[in-house]
């Protein structure tokens, strides 16, 4: 359980921060960068939620559950994984979380026509925010992959972020009237 009685602690005033295991690291440590990008992604999803229809309970519920998942992702990344970690001792992302995203991708993508061009980020406001969140998600994924080059990382975190970026792409198309109002890339259009 989390209990915050004070918002500022002054413990990071010298440019370091505490990980979930109590260890202090610089604020630009790859682990902090990775979970910081996940936090930024969560804020971007808040913008998506603010932009999509208040009446779309299904997508709103899905996105809110994803925001909760992203706190799980951040908690997973905040506590370095050890080889002798007992199962269940630390909150770790599990495969069911990514599978839930795959089911949502399949469901929302089913009624849409297959793509014949790349899509430019835009269309409706909700679609533009979905595309923005997708790019933040891709950066978070890259930051986690970078961390995994030097430290142990739960591989399910990378899988989850990869699926989430795909889902955000599909949700952008849903926001564009199931792809009917997508803005398509016209290769070489301005080279005339």
């Amino acid at each position: 359980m989390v209990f915050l009685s004070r918002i500022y602690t002054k413990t990071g005033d010298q440019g370091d921060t505490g990980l979930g295991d109590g260890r202090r690291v610089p604020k630009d440590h790859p682990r902090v960068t990775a979970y910081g990008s996940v936090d930024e992604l969560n804020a971007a999803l808040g913008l998506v939620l603010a932009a999509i229809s208040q009446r779309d309970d299904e997508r709103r519920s899905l996105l809110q559950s994803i925001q909760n998942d992203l706190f799980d992702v951040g908690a997973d990344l905040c506590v370095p994984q050890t080889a002798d970690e007992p199962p269940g001792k630390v909150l770790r992302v599990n495969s069911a979380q990514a599978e839930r995203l795959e089911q949502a991708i399949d469901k929302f993508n089913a009624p849409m026509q297959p793509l014949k061009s790349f899509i430019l980020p835009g269309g409706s406001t909700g679609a533009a925010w979905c595309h923005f969140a997708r790019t933040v998600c891709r950066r978070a994924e890259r930051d986690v992959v970078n961390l995994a080059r030097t430290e142990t990382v739960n591989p399910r975190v990378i899988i989850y972020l990869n699926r989430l970026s795909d889902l955000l792409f599909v949700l952008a198309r849903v926001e564009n009237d199931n792809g009917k109002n997508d803005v398509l890339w016209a290769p070489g259009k301005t080279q005339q």
Side-chain angles (χ1 to χ4, degrees), residues 101-102 104-105 109 134 137-138 141 159-173:
L101 298 182
E102 290 171 1
I105 292 167
N109 194 52
R134 175 186 55 80
C137 187
R138 286 290 188 203
E141 181 185 6
I159 294 167
Y160 184 86
L161 293 172
N162 194 344
R163 293 306 176 282
L164 179 53
S165 64
D166 293 337
L167 175 61
L168 290 167
F169 177 80
V170 170
L171 292 178
R173 296 197 71 211

Side-chain angles (χ1 to χ4, degrees), residues 49-108:
L49 278 162
I52 67 172
S53 171
Q54 296 295 317
R55 294 181 303 263
D56 191 336
D57 290 337
E58 182 180 19
R59 281 186 293 144
R60 294 185 69 74
S61 177
L62 173 64
L63 288 166
Q64 288 168 341
S65 72
I66 290 167
Q67 284 190 300
N68 196 80
D69 283 350
L70 289 175
F71 266 79
D72 291 353
V73 170
D76 189 322
L77 291 169
C78 181
V79 180
Q81 198 166 11
T82 61
D84 61 345
E85 181 180 287
K89 182 175 188 231
V90 177
L91 178 62
R92 299 288 177 207
V93 172
N94 64 49
S95 56
Q97 290 170 291
E99 289 165 6
R100 193 178 86 249
L101 298 182
E102 290 171 1
Q103 292 166 2
I105 292 167
D106 293 343
K107 177 181 181 176
F108 287 113

Side-chain angles (χ1 to χ4, degrees), residues 114-183:
L115 287 169
K116 296 180 181 171
S117 175
F118 287 107
I119 295 173
L120 300 179
S124 70
T125 302
W129 279 119
C130 284
H131 281 296
F132 177 75
R134 175 186 55 80
T135 63
V136 175
C137 187
R138 286 290 188 203
R139 178 165 36 86
E141 181 185 6
R142 289 190 304 270
D143 289 341
V144 173
V145 167
N146 182 55
L147 172 63
R149 288 189 183 154
T150 58
E151 296 191 24
T152 302
V153 170
N154 176 0
R156 290 177 205 86
V157 167
I158 298 169
I159 294 167
Y160 184 86
L161 293 172
N162 194 344
R163 293 306 176 282
L164 179 53
S165 64
D166 293 337
L167 175 61
L168 290 167
F169 177 80
V170 170
L171 292 178
R173 296 197 71 211
V174 170
E175 279 294 305
N176 279 337
D177 194 15
N178 279 338
K180 295 180 187 103
N181 296 325
D182 284 337
V183 181

